[in-house]
Amino acid sequence: MIEFENTFKTLPKFLYEEVTPTPIKNARLVHTTSLVQHLGLRELGPEKLKLWLNGELTLPGEERISSHYAGHQFGVWAGQLGDGRAISLGELKTPAGGRLVVQTKGSGLTPFSRMGDGKAVIRSSVREYLCSEAMVGLGIPTTRVLAILTGDDRVRRETIERSGLVARVFPTNLRFGHFELCFHLEMEEELDALIAYTRTTFFGGVTTEEMLTEIVARTARLMAQWQDVGFCHGVMNTDNMSVLGLTIDCGPFGFLEDTELGYVCNHSDHQGRYAYNQQPSVGMWNLERLLVCFVNKVPREKLQEILNTYPDIFEKEYLRLCRRKLGLLGQDAADYKLFVDLLQTMSKLSFDYTFTFRQLAGYRRGNPRSLREVFDYYGNREEFLDWLRKYDLRLAGETGSDEERGLRMKETNPKYVLKNYIAQEVIAEVERDRADRLAAWLEVLYRPYDEHPGFEAYAGPTPPEHKHYEVSCSS
Ligand code: AMP
Ligand code: MG
C-alpha cells in the first residue's frame, strides 16, 4: 500500500506553500530507477506513475508543496528564494520502514519562481538524473532520482529546448537556506520550530550543538569526497547545500579532465568562485553562513568552536582518501606532499585526472614501462618520471606486492566518471526519446570501478574535440 506521512507540513506555514503542478505536455516516461521498487511504487505501473509524477493523477494522502528558503548566491545575500520549479509530492513510507520525499523538478510555476518559468529542459534533467546516480556508484552521499520524463513544451533557455521533468528522492529537502530565511527575516518562532524539527526528525533528537557539529562534519567529509573523485559542483550557493550533507542540485557540474586545479565548470561563474580547488574553503564559508543563524541559540564561542572543527575533519578525510588513491597502506608524514606533487605534475602536463589515477593501479615499481598507456598517449614526460621515482621510494616502505596495491587502487580509483561529453551523448539520445544509452550508462556509473567492455574508449583521456564542453546555470 502506498502511504504518506508528511512531516514537513508540521512546520510553520511560512516555510512552504501548497501548490498545483503544471503538467508537461505529452509527457513520456523515459526511464525509472530501482527506487520505484524501493519506494513501494511498483503497484502503480508505469502509466499511473507517469501521470502521478506529472501532476495528472493524485494519490490519497499526498500533499504537494514547494518550500521557502533563502541563500547566499555567489557570495552575495540573495534574499528570499525557494523551490522555483520543484514540487514535493509527499513523504512516502517505504516498505523497509523509512520515509522519503518524492520531488519533481520542472513542474511549473510556484510562488517562488521569481523570474523563472518553473520548467526544466531535457538537458538539465538528464544531467541531474545521471549525476545523482553516478554519485551513488562512487559512494558519495547524494539525493537520488526515481524517474525522468520528457515533454513537448517549448522552453526558452539559450535556445528553445523541449521540456523535461526529473523526480528526485531524499529524506529531506532542507538546505542551509531554510535556516537563513528564518534568521535573516527575523522569524524567531519559525526558526525555533525548524531547528526542533530538524534535530528530532533527522538527527535522532540530539542537542542543537551536536546537530551543528554533525552538519559541519558531514559537509567536510563530502568536500573531501568531491575532491577525491575530481567532482566540481559548479553552484555551491547556500541554497544548494543540503543540511544532511548530500550532493544536491547537480546542474553545471564537471569532473576534472585535464587536472586543471582551478577548473571552473560553470560557465556562469565568471569570478571562478566555485573552482575545483576552492570547494573545500567554500564549504566552510557556507557553513559559517549556516552557523550565523544560530547566534541567538548557541553561545558565539561555541559556534566558532564548532566551525573550527571543519579544517581538521576535511584534512584528515582528504589525506585518508589521497593515501587510498595512491594505494598506500602505511602512513608517512610526507604522503600529502607526495600526492600534491603528483597533482601539480598532472596539472602542469594536463594529464587526465581519472585516467592517470586508474593507470597508476597498473604501475610496477621501478618500471615506468608498466604505464605504457600513459606514455603512449602523453609522451615520455620527464616530470612524471621524476614523480614516479619519488613514488618508488615511498612504495619501498610499504608491505605487500605491486599486484595487491593494484587491486586496491582499482577499487578506489574509478575507471569511469560522468564527463560532460558523455552526458551530452546521452542527452542527444533522450532528446529523441530514446533511453538505451541512458540505461547503459547508468549500469556503468553504478559500478565505475569495474570493467565495462564496449565502454573502453570512455576510460581514456577526453578526446580533444570533446574537451571544454560549456555548461551554465541553465544546465
Ligand atoms: P539553482 O542555483 O539552479 O539551484 O537555482 C537557484 C534558484 O532559482 C532556486 O530557488 C530555483 O528554484 C530557482 N530556479 C532555477 N531555475 C528556475 C526556473 N526555470 N523557474 C523557476 N525558478 C527557477
Ligand atoms: Mg538550487
Side-chain angles (χ1 to χ4, degrees), residues 229-281:
V229 298
F231 176 73
C232 200
H233 181 281
V235 212
M236 286 178 66
N237 294 333
T238 55
D239 54 299
N240 288 338
M241 296 292 290
S242 158
V243 163
L244 300 183
L246 307 173
T247 307
I248 192 168
D249 277 1
C250 293
F253 62 85
F255 281 84
L256 281 189
E257 295 179 6
D258 290 343
T259 317
E260 184 191 338
L261 302 177
Y263 174 50
V264 182
C265 56
N266 179 357
H267 205 64
S268 315
D269 180 6
H270 307 294
Q271 311 288 326
R273 180 179 176 84
Y274 300 136
Y276 171 73
N277 57 7
Q278 297 301 313
Q279 296 189 127
S281 55

Side-chain angles (χ1 to χ4, degrees), residues 179 196 205 216 255 430 441:
F179 293 84
V216 169
F255 281 84
V430 176
W441 266 108

Side-chain angles (χ1 to χ4, degrees), residues 443-456:
E443 288 313 308
V444 175
L445 296 170
Y446 281 137
R447 293 180 292 113
Y449 304 99
D450 293 358
E451 304 294 328
H452 295 278
F455 288 85
E456 282 297 318

Side-chain angles (χ1 to χ4, degrees), residues 69 73 81-86 105 112-120 157 175 235 237 239-240 249 473:
Y69 49 81
Q73 300 189 316
L81 305 165
D83 297 322
R85 52 173 164 171
K105 204 166 166 179
F112 312 109
S113 297
R114 298 179 300 154
M115 309 290 277
D117 56 8
K119 298 280 183 201
R157 292 292 179 264
R175 298 136 188 269
V235 212
N237 294 333
D239 54 299
N240 288 338
D249 277 1
C473 271

Side-chain angles (χ1 to χ4, degrees), residues 230-407:
F231 176 73
C232 200
H233 181 281
V235 212
M236 286 178 66
N237 294 333
T238 55
D239 54 299
N240 288 338
M241 296 292 290
S242 158
V243 163
L244 300 183
L246 307 173
T247 307
I248 192 168
D249 277 1
C250 293
F253 62 85
F255 281 84
L256 281 189
E257 295 179 6
D258 290 343
T259 317
E260 184 191 338
L261 302 177
Y263 174 50
V264 182
C265 56
N266 179 357
H267 205 64
S268 315
D269 180 6
H270 307 294
Q271 311 288 326
R273 180 179 176 84
Y274 300 136
Y276 171 73
N277 57 7
Q278 297 301 313
Q279 296 189 127
S281 55
V282 170
M284 183 158 167
W285 191 89
N286 287 348
L287 282 164
E288 192 172 356
R289 303 285 78 68
L290 173 69
L291 295 187
V292 160
C293 305
F294 291 77
V295 284
N296 301 324
K297 319 287 171 201
V298 175
R300 276 174 187 272
E301 312 74 63
K302 187 66 198 174
L303 289 174
Q304 190 63 54
E305 201 181 293
I306 293 172
L307 183 64
N308 287 347
T309 60
Y310 180 91
D312 204 43
I313 299 171
F314 170 78
E315 280 164 28
K316 276 210 181 82
E317 179 64 1
Y318 188 52
L319 176 58
R320 185 180 75 80
L321 297 173
C322 292
R323 283 203 174 102
R324 218 178 58 160
K325 260 188 126 46
L326 294 178
L328 302 174
L329 287 176
Q331 301 189 359
D332 186 299
D335 287 344
Y336 187 61
K337 187 176 177 312
L338 181 71
F339 185 84
V340 172
D341 258 5
L342 174 60
L343 271 195
Q344 285 171 343
T345 306
M346 287 165 61
S347 173
K348 190 169 165 209
L349 304 176
S350 298
F351 277 16
D352 188 277
Y353 186 84
T354 306
F355 170 72
T356 308
F357 276 109
R358 180 72 182 193
Q359 289 294 318
L360 266 187
Y363 180 63
R364 300 294 174 254
R365 281 170 231 204
N367 180 13
R369 289 178 61 88
S370 56
L371 294 180
R372 197 173 42 79
E373 277 190 60
V374 178
F375 291 109
D376 279 356
Y377 193 87
Y378 291 113
N380 248 345
R381 309 304 292 263
E382 229 10 86
E383 294 96 329
F384 187 52
L385 288 165
D386 279 347
W387 184 84
L388 287 174
R389 282 187 277 273
K390 292 181 210 165
Y391 193 35
D392 282 338
L393 288 175
R394 175 61 184 84
L395 290 178
E398 287 279 294
T399 52
S401 66
D402 277 337
E403 285 73 15
E404 285 162 340
R405 176 180 47 80
L407 287 176

Side-chain angles (χ1 to χ4, degrees), residues 12-288:
K13 196 64 208 333
F14 177 62
L15 284 156
Y16 65 90
E17 294 268 7
E18 281 164 28
V19 286
T20 310
T22 311
I24 59 172
K25 221 186 270 175
N26 300 329
R28 291 174 282 266
L29 183 66
V30 172
H31 192 265
T32 56
T33 67
S34 63
L35 262 69
V36 173
Q37 175 114 8
H38 182 74
L39 290 167
L41 290 171
R42 249 177 100 116
E43 63 184 79
L44 280 183
E47 182 59 20
K48 278 192 175 163
L49 178 67
K50 179 192 83 179
L51 294 173
W52 180 54
L53 294 175
N54 197 31
E56 298 176 277
L57 169 83
T58 53
L59 295 176
E62 69 164 49
E63 281 170 325
R64 306 203 178 216
I65 58 168
S66 289
S67 79
H68 194 186
Y69 49 81
H72 281 79
Q73 300 189 316
F74 294 95
V76 181
W77 172 244
Q80 297 196 33
L81 305 165
D83 297 322
R85 52 173 164 171
I87 298 181
S88 296
L89 310 189
E91 297 166 50
L92 271 173
K93 291 174 84 168
T94 71
R99 191 178 50 227
L100 289 166
V101 182
V102 174
Q103 186 188 62
T104 55
K105 204 166 166 179
S107 294
L109 294 175
T110 78
F112 312 109
S113 297
R114 298 179 300 154
M115 309 290 277
D117 56 8
K119 298 280 183 201
V121 291
I122 292 176
R123 177 169 53 103
S124 69
S125 305
V126 171
R127 289 177 61 81
E128 175 151 6
Y129 199 78
L130 288 174
C131 187
S132 308
E133 301 305 281
M135 287 292 164
V136 174
L138 292 166
I140 299 179
T142 183
T143 61
R144 298 287 310 268
V145 288
L146 162 67
I148 182 166
L149 279 63
T150 57
D152 287 337
D153 310 76
R154 289 162 59 80
V155 184
R156 184 176 292 279
R157 292 292 179 264
E158 281 90 348
T159 55
I160 302 281
E161 298 179 48
R162 267 173 57 214
S163 54
L165 182 143
V166 54
R168 63 181 178 184
V169 175
F170 36 46
T172 180
N173 185 27
L174 285 177
R175 298 136 188 269
F176 292 8
H178 283 98
F179 293 84
E180 291 180 278
L181 175 76
C182 295
F183 176 71
H184 292 288
L185 272 62
E186 298 181 23
M187 306 297 280
E188 201 66 33
E189 271 174 40
E190 286 75 4
L191 181 59
D192 283 337
L194 180 61
I195 295 171
Y197 169 75
T198 312
R199 271 193 314 106
T200 53
T201 319
F202 305 106
F203 290 89
V206 298
T207 65
T208 301
E209 292 177 18
E210 286 167 334
M211 174 178 80
L212 293 175
T213 305
E214 178 64 18
I215 296 173
V216 169
R218 286 190 198 184
T219 307
R221 289 196 294 265
L222 181 69
M223 293 306 116
Q225 287 181 287
W226 283 3
Q227 297 307 103
D228 175 48
V229 298
F231 176 73
C232 200
H233 181 281
V235 212
M236 286 178 66
N237 294 333
T238 55
D239 54 299
N240 288 338
M241 296 292 290
S242 158
V243 163
L244 300 183
L246 307 173
T247 307
I248 192 168
D249 277 1
C250 293
F253 62 85
F255 281 84
L256 281 189
E257 295 179 6
D258 290 343
T259 317
E260 184 191 338
L261 302 177
Y263 174 50
V264 182
C265 56
N266 179 357
H267 205 64
S268 315
D269 180 6
H270 307 294
Q271 311 288 326
R273 180 179 176 84
Y274 300 136
Y276 171 73
N277 57 7
Q278 297 301 313
Q279 296 189 127
S281 55
V282 170
M284 183 158 167
W285 191 89
N286 287 348
L287 282 164
E288 192 172 356

